[in-house]
């Protein structure tokens, strides 16, 4: 173990054997796959932790601004395969295990996904950690060490059942506990005001509860393994002090209650990715996370710079992943004012220099507000600070720009008065942050024009765009080894680092022999997925069929039900139009619904019912198969994406901030059918309109439709195919013996005003789907388009996104500025 870098097969094998003495039972004849998996992880941990130490030392001396990425969610997925690739020891490990009679790829299946997130925002955070390490940035991710990540999904008679995620059931080989970096967090209680000599007012927060935050560190290995950064996840524990007081007094029960209460904070991930429910536990979770992270950031700064706070803005930046970590702002204010005794304005100025905020959604229901009552009860001192910031903002900023304009004050205030007095977290973020960014070009424009128009007027240079990206390591190199191999043969340079090199493929797009190789890889991947589908769902699918894929969280705005209507329309035509023909197609879904989201769960149920009916109807002659793979997660995405022919990106224009699945699928040679929404627009720009299937109303047209009046019945009456389809929700065609069981979906589309305008886009969607079918029948044409899609994805490398963050945000150190200067700066 002297040379952790050593990487010959013999040495690797010896190292695995060494760790097997710890992971395998001594008296067992056969060693389990889990024991091999753990031993292999431990073997590469030697290398990883060595590099981690080297990285920290390098960063200590570099004096560059360190990036602190605060996110309540990280969807890391499985880590062994990714780490082996990034350390460039995949082949060595595979051979070493082979010598032990073990197939490396079999071990991967034993690994549990690290699923500490819901969807796009959480996976983006994971891609960004990969890119920050790859670009050798001094970056630390902060998150929560949820005991249970996102629930596991099963289907019982077609309906979603949630069971707890037990990712640490057998321990996690990657995380390391760091008791030396533990934090204390205060909650509840009251604030005492003291007026000292010379009238100086000091405020003391007497907490009602103290809890501990224990950090678990997960190493983040950059590509080529030079830099290993850290993802630090906080776990809540009861304060040992509080426990002992009760315990010693013989009050065992209350000691246990306190312990349970404290540990509840990091117990589960909230499974909503769109609605801010306003639950007390979620608020406490957010504060717990922010307090631990801020105090850790301060401790790390002070270790290096002592009390030289003048260095703070040039050494520290804090990126807020949506508004979920907004309380970090208020906590930093509190620490400076109450613990370091800074003047209020000095603390405020410092905060304005170090925070940046990313907005990930325009959906009004997702914009967080917290009731003032709750805020007051849990964080009385913080609420005072929020009021002080608001006073500063309304008097020094709003009143300067719009003197006496009461309506403006009300609209921009950090405090909403109705329907309940509450704190608007997004306003607090925008007022504090020196940069605010959206996540795709159109989204950032809508942030300026529709979400925060007045803020944009106040500070025109504050709002910027950073289009999302995905890591080409996990989303091509790791998940699609066959395509990677083909690319290695035809591309000069390392495309996994510089993804724009894929453009070299463009000259091969018409080459028949390359087309054949490219499609042979796709065919192989489809065969593998067909096997997974058989194992998971007992459905036989033909790898020569068109694989049509929609994988993402289930939400009305993402319009899985539009996809479903199209499937039902095809089914109707197969049964009723004697001359109807189409290329065989497999419709593949993967999606979890928030447990409390009624209609989303109805849509899952409807898709499963339709699947059951169609898959077992001999009259369909195998033209259509519908597959809903249960428990969609990162590791399942890695199997589906390489096998997709068609990528469904069909959100209502203006609703999907960016999307990132669209990028992953196109990178792996799937063609997109999509609306002009989010990053689809930029994908269309990159691949060219002739290589993408665009349909439906654009943002302007949707706005116009909303201004006029949306009349769903109009489409119903005008389109007989749509009418047949919608009426079948009332019959028992898909729910034999239980007519009308699916009618809630029909009602949402026709009676309830459907904010997502599904019927308005139905016809245009069907027309475009027909074009998809016709194009697929011309296999040379399809192959060319698929190749051009892969070739054109260079822009969507998350390394490019991180370079944009670096250039537009993190390298910009705002000077201390007065307000006038801020508005003049633009
Ligand atoms: C508080 C409830 C809540 C939880 C999560 C509200 C909102 C969220 C997220 C902002 C939802 C989310 O994941 N947004 C997605 O972020 C991706 C990464 O930027 C984008 O690609 C998706 O379009 C966007 O929906």
């Amino acid at each position: 173990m002297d040379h952790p870098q050593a990487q010959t097969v013999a040495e690797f094998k010896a190292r695995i054997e060494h760790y097997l003495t710890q992971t395998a039972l001594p008296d067992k004849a056969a060693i389990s796959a889990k024991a091999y998996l753990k031993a292999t992880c431990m073997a590469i941990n030697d290398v990883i932790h060595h590099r981690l130490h080297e990285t920290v030392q390098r960063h200590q001396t570099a004096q560059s601004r360190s990036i602190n990425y605060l996110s309540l969610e990280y969807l890391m997925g499985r880590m062994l395969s990714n780490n082996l690739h990034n350390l460039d020891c995949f082949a060595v490990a595979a051979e070493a295990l082979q010598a032990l009679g073990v197939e490396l790829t079999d071990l991967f299946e034993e690994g549990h996904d690290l699923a500490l997130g819901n969807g796009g925002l959480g996976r983006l955070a994971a891609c960004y950690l990969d890119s920050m390490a790859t670009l050798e940035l001094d970056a630390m991710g902060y998150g929560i060490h949820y005991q249970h990540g996102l629930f596991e999904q099963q289907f019982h008679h077609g309906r979603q059942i949630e069971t707890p995620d037990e990712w640490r059931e057998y321990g996690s080989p990657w995380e390391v506990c760091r008791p030396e970096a533990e934090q204390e967090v205060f909650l509840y209680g009251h604030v005492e005001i003291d007026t000292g000599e010379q009238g100086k007012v000091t405020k003391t927060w007497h907490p009602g509860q103290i809890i501990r935050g224990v950090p678990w560190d997960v190493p983040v290995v950059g590509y080529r393994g030079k830099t290993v950064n850290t993802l630090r996840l906080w776990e809540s524990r009861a304060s040992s002090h509080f426990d002992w007081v009760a315990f010693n007094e013989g009050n065992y029960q209350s000691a246990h209650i306190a312990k349970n209460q404290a540990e509840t904070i990091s117990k589960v991930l909230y499974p909503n990715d769109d609605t801010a429910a306003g639950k007390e536990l979620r608020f406490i979770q957010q504060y717990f996370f922010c307090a631990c992270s801020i105090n850790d950031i301060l401790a790390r700064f002070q270790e290096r710079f002592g009390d030289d706070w003048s260095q703070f803005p040039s050494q520290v930046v804090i990126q807020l992943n949506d508004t979920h970590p907004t309380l970090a702002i208020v906590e930093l204010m509190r620490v400076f004012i109450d613990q370091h005794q800074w003047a209020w304005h000095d603390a405020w100025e410092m905060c304005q220099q170090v925070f940046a905020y990313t907005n990930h959604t325009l959906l009004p229901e997702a914009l967080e507000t917290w009731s003032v009552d709750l805020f007051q009860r849990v964080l009385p001192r913080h609420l005072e600070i929020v009021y002080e910031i608001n006073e500063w903002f309304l008097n020094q900023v709003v009143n300067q720009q719009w003197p006496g304009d009461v309506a403006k004050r009300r609209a921009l205030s950090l405090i909403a008065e109705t329907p309940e007095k509450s704190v608007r977290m997004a306003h607090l973020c925008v007022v504090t942050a020196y940069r605010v960014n959206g996540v795709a070009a159109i989204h950032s424009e809508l942030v300026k024009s529709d979400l925060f128009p007045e803020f944009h007027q106040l500070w025109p240079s504050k709002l910027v765009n950073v289009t999302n990206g995905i890591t080409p390591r996990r989303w091509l190199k790791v998940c699609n080894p066959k395509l990677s191999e083909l690319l290695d043969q035809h591309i000069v340079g390392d495309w996994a680092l510089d993804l724009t090199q894929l453009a070299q493929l463009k000259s091969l797009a018409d080459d028949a022999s390359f087309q054949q190789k490219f499609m042979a890889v796709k065919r192989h991947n489809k065969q593998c997925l067909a096997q997974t589908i058989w194992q998971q769902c007992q459905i036989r699918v033909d790898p020569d069929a068109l694989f049509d894929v929609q994988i993402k969280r289930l939400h009305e705005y993402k319009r899985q039900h539009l996809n479903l209507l199209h499937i039902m329309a095809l089914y109707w035509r197969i049964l009723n139009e004697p001359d109807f023909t189409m290329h065989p197609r497999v419709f593949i879904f993967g999606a979890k619904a928030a447990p409390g989201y009624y209609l989303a769960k109805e849509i899952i149920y409807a898709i499963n019912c339709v699947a059951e009916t169609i898959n077992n109807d001999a009259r369909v002659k195998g033209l259509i198969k519908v597959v809903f793979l249960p428990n969609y997660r990162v590791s399942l995405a890695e199997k589906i994406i390489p096998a997709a022919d068609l990528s469904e990106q069909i959100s209502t224009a203006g609703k999907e901030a960016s999307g990132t699945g669209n990028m992953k699928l196109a990178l792996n040679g799937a063609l997109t059918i999509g609306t002009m929404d989010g990053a689809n627009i930029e994908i269309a720009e990159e691949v060219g309109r002739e290589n993408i299937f665009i349909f439906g109303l654009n943002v302007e047209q949707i706005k116009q439709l909303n201004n006029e009046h949306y009349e769903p019945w109009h489409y119903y009456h005008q389109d007989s195919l749509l009418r047949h389809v919608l009426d079948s929700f009332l019959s028992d065609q898909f729910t034999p013996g239980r007519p009308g069981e699916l009618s809630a979906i029909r009602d949402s589309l026709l009676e309830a005003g459907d904010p997502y305008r599904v019927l308005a886009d139905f016809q245009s969607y069907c027309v475009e789907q027909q074009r998809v079918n016709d194009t697929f029948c011309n296999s040379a044409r399809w192959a060319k388009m698929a190749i051009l899609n892969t070739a054109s994805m260079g822009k969507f490398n998350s390394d490019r996104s991180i370079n944009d963050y670096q250039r537009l945000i993190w390298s910009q150190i705002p000077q201390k500025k007065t307000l006038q200067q801020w508005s003049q700066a633009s």
Side-chain angles (χ1 to χ4, degrees):
M1 299 309 114
D2 295 340
H3 307 286
Q5 321 272 31
Q7 279 185 5
T8 69
V9 173
E11 281 164 330
F12 209 102
K13 177 167 169 271
R15 199 168 292 171
I16 293 171
E17 283 173 317
H18 165 78
Y19 285 114
L20 279 172
T21 63
Q22 296 176 33
T23 64
L25 278 174
D27 56 353
K28 262 270 170 136
I31 299 171
S32 71
K34 285 209 161 45
Y36 274 113
L37 172 67
K38 203 162 185 189
T40 309
C41 296
M42 289 165 89
I44 65 166
N45 269 337
D46 288 344
V47 185
I48 291 172
H49 286 277
H50 181 81
R51 303 261 173 96
L52 186 120
H53 277 257
E54 287 179 343
T55 302
V56 170
Q57 276 166 4
R58 229 179 16 254
H59 290 154
Q60 294 268 337
T61 49
Q63 296 262 327
S64 58
R65 199 178 196 193
S66 65
I67 300 147
N68 298 279
Y69 198 84
L70 266 56
S71 176
L72 269 280
E73 302 191 13
Y74 292 90
L75 280 175
M76 305 295 282
R78 289 175 177 157
M79 305 228 276
L80 177 57
S81 178
N82 199 252
N83 285 346
L84 286 171
H85 269 108
N86 281 10
L87 290 169
D88 201 17
C89 57
F90 191 94
V92 173
E95 259 188 75
L97 281 160
Q98 214 149 45
L100 294 163
V102 175
E103 197 59 53
L104 172 60
T105 48
D106 290 346
L107 293 191
F108 296 151
E109 293 304 307
E110 298 291 325
H112 207 293
D113 279 44
L114 190 42
L116 310 183
N118 276 289
L121 161 139
R123 182 54 229 177
L124 186 77
C127 283
Y128 282 178
L129 291 183
D130 177 278
S131 283
M132 289 188 281
T134 297
L135 296 171
E136 298 178 9
L137 299 180
D138 179 358
M140 182 98 153
Y142 283 102
I144 292 182
H145 191 262
Y146 301 106
Q147 189 182 333
H148 304 285
L150 186 59
F151 65 85
E152 291 196 355
Q153 178 196 54
Q154 297 173 351
F155 296 138
H156 284 195
H157 304 292
R159 293 197 178 272
Q160 170 176 298
I161 301 291
E162 303 95 22
T163 56
D165 165 53
E166 303 283 359
W167 66 281
R168 296 174 83 231
E169 196 173 11
Y170 303 109
S172 163
W174 305 112
E175 54 182 15
V176 182
C177 192
R178 306 278 194 209
E180 60 274 39
E182 186 173 307
Q183 295 293 341
E184 254 192 358
V185 178
F186 295 0
L187 292 170
Y188 304 105
H190 65 279
V191 179
E192 231 172 61
I193 304 172
D194 291 307
T195 315
E197 301 143 33
Q198 294 144 12
K200 186 172 178 353
V201 175
T202 52
K203 299 190 171 172
T204 314
W205 179 19
H206 297 281
Q209 196 180 351
I210 302 176
I211 47 184
R212 292 185 298 145
V214 175
W216 292 84
D217 284 3
V218 179
V220 178
V221 181
Y223 183 54
R224 296 198 156 160
K226 186 172 173 206
T227 293
V228 176
N229 284 333
T230 294
L231 168 58
R232 181 159 286 176
L233 301 171
W234 299 102
E235 178 180 274
S236 62
R237 300 264 183 92
S239 145
S240 38
H241 170 74
F242 261 49
D243 259 358
W244 280 111
V245 171
F247 211 77
N248 288 336
E249 286 168 0
N251 200 349
Y252 305 125
Q253 209 164 2
S254 77
H256 277 286
I257 289 171
K259 182 165 151 51
N260 281 338
Q261 244 179 14
E263 287 170 6
T264 301
I265 296 171
S266 61
K267 186 138 283 191
V268 310
L269 165 79
Y270 273 82
N272 300 323
D273 77 334
D274 44 43
T275 36
K279 294 273 188 320
E280 175 162 337
L281 182 60
R282 165 95 176 164
F283 183 67
I284 293 175
Q285 214 173 50
Q286 291 184 348
Y287 176 64
F288 164 75
F289 161 67
C290 291
C292 290
S293 305
I294 285 294
N295 288 293
D296 191 62
I297 292 167
L298 291 172
R300 287 195 299 131
F301 173 83
Q302 288 194 283
E303 236 165 67
R304 287 180 59 190
F305 300 96
D307 283 335
D308 184 4
W309 293 102
S310 69
Q311 304 244 45
F312 195 66
S314 65
Q315 294 300 320
V316 173
V317 61
I318 303 172
Q319 186 70 40
L320 305 176
N321 200 22
D322 215 89
T323 56
H324 318 155
T326 308
L327 289 167
I329 297 169
V330 199
E331 174 69 1
L332 188 56
M333 285 291 284
R334 182 189 73 85
V335 173
F336 282 151
I337 296 167
D338 292 1
Q339 285 175 4
H340 295 281
Q341 271 84 46
W342 287 20
W344 193 91
H345 278 94
D346 292 333
W348 179 232
E349 223 159 46
M350 192 64 95
C351 285
Q352 289 176 293
Q353 291 177 290
V354 299
F355 283 102
Y357 152 63
T358 307
N359 173 281
H360 292 268
T361 182
L362 301 169
L363 297 182
E365 65 270 30
L367 298 178
E368 288 187 298
T369 59
W370 291 106
S371 105
V372 163
D373 284 350
L374 171 64
F375 218 121
Q376 169 73 48
R377 226 161 16 83
V378 180
L379 301 174
R381 177 67 186 119
H382 294 74
L383 183 62
E384 290 183 348
I385 294 171
V386 170
Y387 276 128
E388 287 160 4
I389 297 173
N390 197 36
E391 201 177 287
W392 171 87
F393 172 59
L394 293 179
N395 295 338
Q396 306 295 312
V397 185
V398 178
N399 207 44
Q400 302 279 317
Q401 180 94 5
W402 298 286
D405 189 336
V406 179
K408 275 280 181 301
R409 283 176 77 89
R410 201 172 295 137
L412 297 184
S413 172
L414 305 189
I415 310 295
E417 296 294 333
T418 52
E420 180 191 17
K421 202 164 176 188
S422 55
V423 181
R424 295 165 165 154
M425 303 310 260
H427 287 206
L428 180 48
C429 281
V430 179
V431 167
T432 311
Y434 71 90
R435 284 289 184 282
V436 174
N437 75 286
V439 292
I442 190 176
H443 169 67
S444 298
E445 284 311 308
L446 291 169
V447 167
K448 288 184 210 164
S449 62
D450 297 14
L451 190 61
F452 304 132
E454 295 94 347
F455 289 116
H456 181 48
Q457 208 181 329
L458 280 172
W459 302 300
S461 53
K462 205 184 256 206
L463 276 67
V464 298
N465 173 247
V466 178
T467 297
N468 282 170
I470 57 169
T471 169
R473 275 75 65 179
R474 181 175 296 261
W475 296 113
L476 183 47
K477 208 176 177 63
V478 177
C479 77
N480 198 342
K482 286 268 187 297
L483 183 56
S484 299
E485 202 184 314
L486 183 67
L487 297 177
D488 289 342
Q489 289 162 8
H490 289 86
I491 287 171
V492 188
D494 191 351
W495 54 266
L497 260 188
D498 178 5
L499 202 63
T500 61
Q501 295 305 323
L502 292 181
Q504 291 173 46
L505 293 181
K506 287 183 184 173
S507 60
L508 295 170
D510 274 312
D511 179 328
S513 109
F514 185 75
Q515 288 184 351
Q516 192 244 319
K517 287 184 207 154
F518 192 90
M519 295 316 283
V521 168
K522 183 62 80 181
R523 165 78 212 225
H524 166 87
N525 293 336
K526 287 166 78 174
Q527 238 160 355
C528 294
L529 182 59
Q531 228 167 46
T532 303
I533 290 172
W534 172 246
Q535 286 159 3
Q536 298 285 308
C537 312
Q538 288 75 53
I539 300 171
R540 292 248 178 247
V541 300
D542 175 5
D544 289 318
L546 189 168
F547 279 21
D548 177 332
V549 167
Q550 188 170 18
I551 42 174
K552 47 184 84 250
R553 281 299 286 254
L554 212 134
H555 200 293
E556 286 165 271
Y557 86 78
K558 296 178 186 282
R559 302 200 293 191
Q560 280 92 351
H561 48 343
L562 175 58
N563 189 343
L564 179 64
L565 293 183
H566 171 243
I567 296 170
M568 292 162 74
L570 289 177
Y571 181 51
W572 191 91
R573 295 185 66 187
I574 291 170
L575 299 189
N576 295 285
E577 294 177 14
D579 297 334
F580 180 78
T581 166
M582 62 180 279
H583 190 92
R585 209 190 270 216
V586 184
F587 293 91
I588 298 164
F589 292 89
K592 287 177 181 174
Y597 188 170
Y598 169 75
L599 206 76
K601 290 182 134 181
E602 287 297 301
I603 293 170
I604 290 180
Y605 180 58
I607 295 171
N608 279 326
C609 290
V610 169
E612 179 78 13
T613 305
I614 294 182
N615 295 344
N616 295 301
D617 187 337
R619 298 170 296 174
V620 175
K621 299 198 181 75
L623 288 179
I624 302 180
K625 284 277 163 71
V626 183
V627 175
F628 203 137
L629 280 160
N631 204 28
Y632 180 62
R633 60 198 186 283
V634 170
S635 61
L636 187 53
E638 289 174 56
K639 297 188 171 99
I640 299 172
I641 288 169
D645 292 307
L646 186 67
S647 155
E648 300 269 355
Q649 307 300 336
I650 60 178
S651 52
T652 316
K655 297 290 184 191
E656 189 71 274
S658 162
T660 45
N662 46 3
M663 302 167 187
K664 294 163 197 167
L665 283 153
L667 179 63
N668 284 273
L671 305 194
T672 301
I673 182 163
T675 49
M676 285 300 254
D677 196 19
N680 295 353
I681 297 175
E682 288 158 82
I683 291 174
E685 228 167 75
E686 295 298 307
V687 303
R689 279 297 279 261
E690 66 283 10
N691 296 308
I692 188 167
F693 300 96
I694 296 292
F695 73 95
L697 302 176
N698 62 25
V699 170
E700 287 310 308
Q701 292 165 323
I702 288 277
K703 277 187 185 170
Q704 199 182 334
L705 181 66
N706 292 343
N707 286 338
E708 287 160 1
H709 170 63
Y710 175 63
E711 181 42 86
W713 287 104
H714 162 78
Y715 306 96
Y716 175 89
H717 290 302
Q718 174 215 285
D719 182 341
S720 63
L721 185 57
L722 177 60
R723 201 156 60 236
H724 291 307
V725 167
L726 287 170
D727 287 346
S728 69
F729 282 112
L730 300 175
S731 74
D732 75 341
Q733 188 179 11
F734 301 104
T735 55
R738 304 183 307 278
E741 207 179 14
L742 306 177
S743 62
I745 297 171
R746 183 182 191 272
D747 288 348
S748 83
L749 297 176
L750 283 172
E751 318 275 0
D754 176 28
Y756 305 106
R757 310 311 190 220
V758 173
L759 303 190
D761 279 346
F762 175 75
Q763 208 162 52
S764 138
Y765 181 55
C766 290
V767 168
E768 209 53 28
Q769 284 285 15
Q770 181 67 49
R771 280 195 52 219
V772 168
N773 178 77
D774 300 346
T775 312
F776 195 76
C777 291
N778 179 346
S779 43
R781 169 108 193 86
W782 187 275
K784 177 181 177 178
M785 290 170 75
I787 293 166
L788 288 175
N789 267 262
T790 298
S792 307
M793 286 303 106
K795 172 174 177 183
F796 304 103
N797 186 350
S798 47
D799 299 352
R800 188 272 312 148
S801 309
I802 290 300
N803 279 323
D804 286 354
Y805 274 96
Q806 186 74 355
R807 183 169 47 82
L808 297 172
I809 302 174
W810 302 332
S811 70
Q812 307 282 316
I813 302 162
Q815 299 306 305
K816 289 191 173 189
K817 262 188 202 167
T818 65
L819 278 160
Q820 254 80 27
Q821 287 170 319
W822 253 119
S823 32
Q824 282 157 13
S826 47

